[in-house]
Amino acid sequence: MNKLLALLLLFIHFVSFSQTPDRLFYSSMHPEGWDIYLSRDGGESFENFTNTDVLEYNAVFSPDGKWLVYTSEKDGTPRLCARRSDGTGTENLLIDGHEFTDQAAFSPDGEWLVFASSLGGDTDIFRIPFRPDSIQYISAAINLTNHDKGDFRPAVSPDGKTIAFSSDRDHPIKSHERFPFAMQRTGDIYLMDWDGGNVRRITESDAWDGSPAWSADGQTIWFYSERSGESKIYRMDANGENKSLVGESDLKMISPVEADAESLFVTAWVQDEGYFDLYRLNTGSGEMERVFKENIDMHTPAVHSSMIAFHGGKKPGRLDENKGGFTGDLLVAGHPYSDTLDGQSVALYGVRRAFAAPPSPTETSLIIDSTEMASPLDDLKLSAFIFAGLLIITLLLALSGIVLAFVFYKKVRFWRFLLYTFGGLLIFILAATGFGYMLFFAGTPVSGMRLGGAILAALFLVATMLAYRVWKRRKIDNRPHYRVTRMMTFQLGITALACVFFVLFFGFFFDVGSYFFKVDYRTGEIEELFRVELEDWVSPANSQVIDMKYLPDNSGFLFTMGSFRTDPDRQGDLYVFRFEDESVERLTGEEFNDGFGSYSADMQKLVYRSGKSGNMDLYLRTGDEEIQLTDNASKENFPVMSPDGTKVVYCSDERGTDIDNGRVRTMDMYMISLQPDGTWGEPEQLTNNPTQEAHPGFSPDGEWITYTTEEFGIQDEQPLVQHLIFAPQMYGEIVAQRLSDGKKVRITHTKWEDGAPLWEKGINQAPLEVARE
């Protein structure tokens, strides 16, 4: 009996151990290559304090200088760690929990840590005893702010009685100036007592004020502010009075910390070199002195006596494995990492691209797209060079006309020279402007662009011939007039040549058809699959690939080519690529914005978004039949079909929150279900938040949905994140929601934007034979 029980337990253990976890892929705007660096000689030199592949940042010294506390993402989620500043010993995790912990500050006696965490949902300020040799659970921390908006960057006063911090609590959410769907925050600086009480606001600006830092005597608070349009360093009294700018430097500056009684260390953006660097800012004279002269990014200095800590590293280069994505690796460093979702193990993969690359259901590979050329000597660069040369010649002719106007001003009227010279240049500019309007605003297809270029070329050729006849006649009659007409003929001829060149080599100018690749995310091996050629009826402005999904039977993948957020009649279409015969088929063909398709598991049903009704609505195609699922003036987007074909989840702004007086409306999640009588029911609202939500996806069993949400706000001061990586969309936490009871589980806890989740079944992965470099 005991043997049977033992065998049974062994079998159960084996089965549970051998089950491969599901895989959840999502897009991530993580930066890359940050370590903690330490200078022990006041800035004369520095060395690596940490040296890992994962991000480590925001270091701070303990008051006695013996410990360095910093944030590490080695377990996927940002967590506070500690290590002795002399480099001895190991890195110790300070606080365990699913939530992120970051932005640490010490009490003056070194007994307490104050930090930011997502334990309360939104980011709040917490306090916990500093115990570097043991792990404490996040549940033991005291929530000091407990606010439904974000609180960041705490700093404890030298007497330990007051905590300064920044918060976006008193500003409305705004839409991004260029990207209206992207939500933006504004923050100010606040004070609170040590126990979290007596909160008072001490700055009021329409732009960010952040990263408060105390002077050693507790009389002054240093901070950065964007109130002048660019980020600069300011000072104010400890009660918020007497704010003033420190220095007159043109550099953008953030993250001040007092170096000594006369100066600060700050992080500054050096535009000419493309790096963030550390500078010493004299608080009296305003003079700036570069601390280190190394070509690496340096962020967020911390000081103790002669020691300076900061984080940063070399900028990552462009890698083939991530063509069309961010510079650096395809996956976030340290990924995948495992997490548990309602008792189920899930492997999380952050993909460093604007949209998550779809994973193969059976292989360790992703599909990526890129408009980058296959060779650096591609015809696109050659044609652009020639076109630029034609423009330069035209400009030189115009300049020579000005010179001739002064030379022959007594023989030929001055205005004639200006008319001829600037007339030719104006014609060239008008032609280029016309092409630009057709391309970027009118959405003119390739055929229309070629026709327009041919008409302009013909007109300019006729004008050139007429000018040539005048030139020949003037050559005999009057030498100054001959020079003027010759120059005008050259200008018209160059413009005509540019138009002819534009027509003949249009495909080279706008070679924006996308290349598709298969990449092994474990080895980095890349294989080119195919290239979508730009069809004559497609506008070059509408040729962006914005969504890809594997077909459920693994025979190929769906993708959308067209504008992402645009008018219903702006061209966009669904395509499918099949691996077997390497064919590309267009599934939609009307002159509307069609896209974001999703199949049921049996490939019998296809749901997609289309503007064919004049609004952005959802359509369901079953075989040769098609029905309209939604019909209203709101915007529906990102529809996904459940594996069994009975549910469609999508996002819509039908009941969203108006931002900036209706400039944009936020989106919520909705679901339409198939009824017993075979009809589709009314939309059911799944979420109801005054923030953005998007990019839904189903779990492989169809019981859960995942999506991106802005529900939890941001996790750090917006300027500190957006200075580092292009991330206009300040939402980005991945959430899973069970459809049966609405249970919600937050999956990611980072300050970087995470989005577009794709949930796939797990696969068996053999060990790598060769380690990646």
Side-chain angles (χ1 to χ4, degrees):
M1 184 67 182
N2 290 335
K3 289 184 178 180
L4 287 175
L5 181 60
L7 288 173
L8 180 61
L9 292 175
L10 181 62
F11 175 76
I12 293 173
H13 173 75
F14 174 78
V15 171
S16 62
F17 179 77
S18 62
Q19 288 178 342
T20 57
D22 284 354
R23 301 171 297 157
L24 182 63
F25 293 80
Y26 56 92
S27 64
S28 181
M29 294 190 177
H30 269 69
E32 187 172 277
W34 285 354
D35 285 304
I36 305 297
Y37 292 87
L38 183 60
S39 172
R40 304 180 188 277
D41 51 18
E44 296 295 325
S45 63
F46 65 89
E47 60 187 10
N48 277 84
F49 185 75
T50 65
N51 190 7
T52 66
D53 292 333
V54 301
L55 289 183
E56 291 172 321
Y57 46 87
N58 289 340
V60 60
F61 288 99
S62 60
D64 59 10
K66 295 181 179 180
W67 292 93
L68 205 57
V69 172
Y70 53 92
T71 304
S72 175
E73 296 192 9
K74 65 180 179 181
D75 296 322
T77 299
R79 289 172 178 162
L80 291 177
C81 297
R83 187 182 173 193
R84 294 187 180 275
S85 60
D86 61 8
T88 62
T90 59
E91 178 182 278
N92 300 327
L93 178 65
L94 293 178
I95 304 171
D96 195 11
H98 190 70
E99 298 77 10
F100 89 91
T101 53
D102 184 26
Q103 306 159 41
F106 276 93
S107 62
D109 59 9
E111 295 294 322
W112 292 86
L113 271 183
V114 182
F115 61 96
S117 176
S118 59
L119 178 61
D122 293 281
T123 302
D124 288 317
I125 305 298
F126 290 79
R127 190 181 75 203
I128 200 169
F130 177 54
R131 296 173 182 169
D133 295 321
S134 63
I135 299 177
Q136 301 179 80
Y137 289 102
I138 185 68
S139 57
I142 303 170
N143 192 333
L144 298 176
T145 53
N146 198 23
H147 199 276
D148 61 358
K149 294 295 181 66
D151 302 317
F152 323 104
R153 299 281 163 176
V156 185
S157 63
D159 62 8
K161 297 180 179 180
T162 307
I163 300 173
F165 64 98
S166 63
S167 177
D168 61 8
R169 62 178 63 190
D170 286 318
H171 286 275
I173 297 174
K174 301 176 183 178
S175 61
H176 193 277
E177 181 178 351
R178 181 180 176 188
F179 305 96
F181 56 86
M183 301 297 100
Q184 302 287 279
R185 266 82 170 178
T186 307
D188 285 300
I189 295 176
Y190 298 75
L191 299 178
M192 63 179 171
D193 294 344
W194 174 250
D195 61 2
N198 191 26
V199 177
R200 56 268 194 204
R201 182 180 179 183
I202 59 173
T203 69
E204 293 189 25
S205 173
D206 291 332
W208 263 97
D209 295 335
S211 296
W214 294 87
S215 62
D217 60 8
Q219 300 301 307
T220 301
I221 296 177
W222 314 100
F223 65 103
Y224 75 82
S225 177
E226 294 184 329
R227 61 185 63 197
S228 64
E230 293 187 342
S231 182
K232 303 295 182 183
I233 303 301
Y234 286 76
R235 60 156 59 89
M236 62 180 166
D237 295 342
N239 61 2
E241 300 294 330
N242 301 318
K243 300 175 183 67
S244 62
L245 178 67
V246 180
E248 299 290 340
S249 173
D250 293 333
L251 296 175
K252 297 178 182 178
M253 293 175 282
I254 52 177
S255 305
V257 63
E258 194 166 75
D260 52 44
E262 298 178 349
S263 63
L264 306 173
F265 286 126
V266 300
T267 300
W269 170 246
V270 186
Q271 180 71 38
D272 295 340
E273 299 182 13
Y275 287 95
F276 289 94
D277 214 335
L278 297 190
Y279 277 78
R280 184 187 290 269
L281 170 61
N282 188 294
T283 57
S285 66
E287 294 181 357
M288 301 279 290
E289 179 185 1
R290 194 173 179 180
V291 180
F292 304 106
K293 295 179 175 61
E294 297 287 340
N295 291 328
I296 67 171
D297 281 327
M298 303 180 183
H299 303 279
T300 317
V303 180
H304 184 276
S305 186
S306 62
M307 293 189 294
I308 306 170
F310 60 92
H311 70 263
K314 293 183 178 180
K315 289 187 179 297
R318 179 70 63 186
L319 300 179
D320 281 346
E321 68 180 61
N322 200 15
K323 287 178 179 291
F326 304 129
T327 56
D329 293 325
L330 176 62
L331 296 183
V332 173
H335 286 211
Y337 69 97
S338 296
D339 205 345
T340 301
L341 175 60
D342 197 41
Q344 177 184 358
S345 181
V346 179
L348 303 178
Y349 295 77
V351 183
R352 300 184 65 252
R353 302 178 68 83
F355 277 85
S360 167
T362 59
E363 302 174 351
T364 60
S365 61
L366 304 174
I367 301 296
I368 64 173
D369 69 283
S370 173
T371 56
E372 297 176 11
M373 301 302 106
S375 166
L377 298 178
D378 195 273
D379 292 320
L380 174 67
K381 294 187 177 181
L382 178 62
S383 59
F385 176 78
I386 295 174
F387 191 77
L390 295 174
L391 177 60
I392 291 173
I393 292 173
T394 305
L395 292 172
L396 290 176
L397 288 171
L399 180 63
S400 66
I402 297 175
V403 174
L404 289 174
F406 284 101
V407 174
F408 296 107
Y409 74 96
K410 292 183 178 180
K411 298 181 180 180
V412 181
R413 293 180 181 178
F414 187 80
W415 65 268
R416 288 187 176 181
F417 282 99
L418 296 182
L419 177 63
Y420 291 153
T421 56
F422 286 103
L425 179 61
L426 180 62
I427 290 172
F428 190 101
I429 293 175
L430 288 176
T433 302
F435 282 124
Y437 174 79
M438 288 191 293
L439 175 64
F440 297 108
F441 296 98
T444 306
V446 172
S447 57
M449 298 287 287
R450 285 200 176 103
L451 177 62
I455 293 173
L456 286 175
L459 291 175
F460 286 135
L461 286 174
V462 171
T464 302
M465 294 175 63
L466 293 175
Y468 179 76
R469 291 173 63 89
V470 175
W471 169 28
K472 296 293 290 185
R473 185 168 63 252
R474 290 293 188 181
K475 182 176 181 180
I476 299 173
D477 297 340
N478 188 304
R479 184 174 179 82
H481 284 81
Y482 149 69
R483 292 192 176 186
V484 173
T485 54
R486 179 182 63 179
M487 182 174 55
M488 182 181 66
T489 303
F490 281 164
Q491 284 184 297
L492 289 171
I494 290 293
T495 305
L497 181 60
C499 290
V500 171
F501 183 81
F502 183 88
V503 173
L504 294 178
F505 299 97
F506 183 85
F508 294 157
F509 279 116
F510 300 101
D511 191 6
V512 291
S514 290
Y515 296 85
F516 290 81
F517 303 86
K518 179 187 288 188
V519 181
D520 190 312
Y521 55 76
R522 302 181 74 208
T523 66
E525 296 177 2
I526 185 168
E527 171 191 356
E528 183 174 338
L529 296 176
F530 69 103
R531 179 177 183 271
V532 177
E533 299 288 344
L534 199 64
E535 300 179 79
D536 282 350
W537 55 271
V538 176
S539 168
N542 299 336
S543 59
Q544 178 189 8
V545 175
I546 51 178
D547 180 57
M548 291 187 289
K549 298 182 183 75
Y550 258 87
L551 296 177
D553 62 3
N554 199 27
S555 63
F557 59 89
L558 274 172
F559 63 94
T560 299
M561 183 172 281
S563 298
F564 167 50
R565 186 181 176 92
T566 185
D567 297 328
D569 58 354
R570 194 72 179 263
Q571 186 69 48
D573 283 292
L574 268 176
Y575 294 79
V576 63
F577 172 78
R578 302 192 185 278
F579 295 118
E580 184 176 4
D581 56 4
E582 297 185 351
S583 63
V584 178
E585 177 187 0
R586 181 160 53 92
L587 300 181
T588 58
E590 302 100 335
E591 295 181 358
F592 303 105
N593 191 268
D594 303 328
F596 296 98
S598 176
Y599 274 107
S600 58
D602 60 7
M603 300 281 292
Q604 298 302 305
K605 297 174 182 176
L606 171 67
V607 64
Y608 68 98
R609 181 204 72 182
S610 177
K612 64 181 71 178
S613 67
N615 299 309
M616 291 299 192
D617 290 313
L618 303 186
Y619 291 80
L620 177 67
R621 184 181 296 179
T622 306
D624 295 331
E625 296 182 0
E626 183 171 279
I627 62 172
Q628 187 172 347
L629 289 179
T630 63
D631 185 9
N632 55 62
S634 60
K635 289 178 178 156
E636 270 83 67
N637 211 349
F638 310 122
V640 289
M641 177 72 71
S642 64
D644 62 4
T646 63
K647 298 179 182 66
V648 173
V649 173
Y650 63 99
C651 63
S652 173
D653 65 359
E654 182 177 1
R655 300 172 188 169
T657 303
D658 285 332
I659 304 295
D660 282 350
N661 297 318
R663 183 169 182 251
V664 67
R665 179 177 286 186
T666 61
M667 288 190 162
D668 292 296
M669 291 295 146
Y670 290 80
M671 181 172 67
I672 301 176
S673 299
L674 185 63
Q675 303 301 302
D677 62 0
T679 63
W680 290 84
E682 293 298 316
E684 173 189 355
Q685 189 169 354
L686 300 178
T687 65
N688 186 15
N689 296 308
T691 52
Q692 288 282 35
E693 289 168 337
H695 307 293
F698 275 96
S699 62
D701 59 12
E703 295 182 3
W704 294 76
I705 60 168
T706 57
Y707 57 91
T708 304
T709 181
E710 193 196 13
E711 177 183 355
F712 308 107
I714 57 177
Q715 280 74 59
D716 203 349
E717 295 170 350
Q718 181 175 300
L720 301 189
V721 177
Q722 292 197 350
H723 278 315
L724 304 177
I725 191 168
F726 178 67
Q729 207 164 332
M730 288 298 292
Y731 69 77
E733 298 300 329
I734 307 299
V735 164
Q737 184 170 326
R738 189 161 54 197
L739 294 176
S740 61
D741 58 6
K743 179 179 180 179
K744 186 185 300 182
V745 179
R746 181 174 174 180
I747 296 176
T748 61
H749 292 255
T750 74
K751 68 179 71 179
W752 321 112
E753 179 174 331
D754 300 325
L758 296 170
W759 194 337
E760 291 287 343
K761 290 182 178 180
I763 58 174
N764 291 316
Q765 302 181 25
L768 285 175
E769 297 180 359
V770 180
R772 293 184 61 186
E773 295 181 358

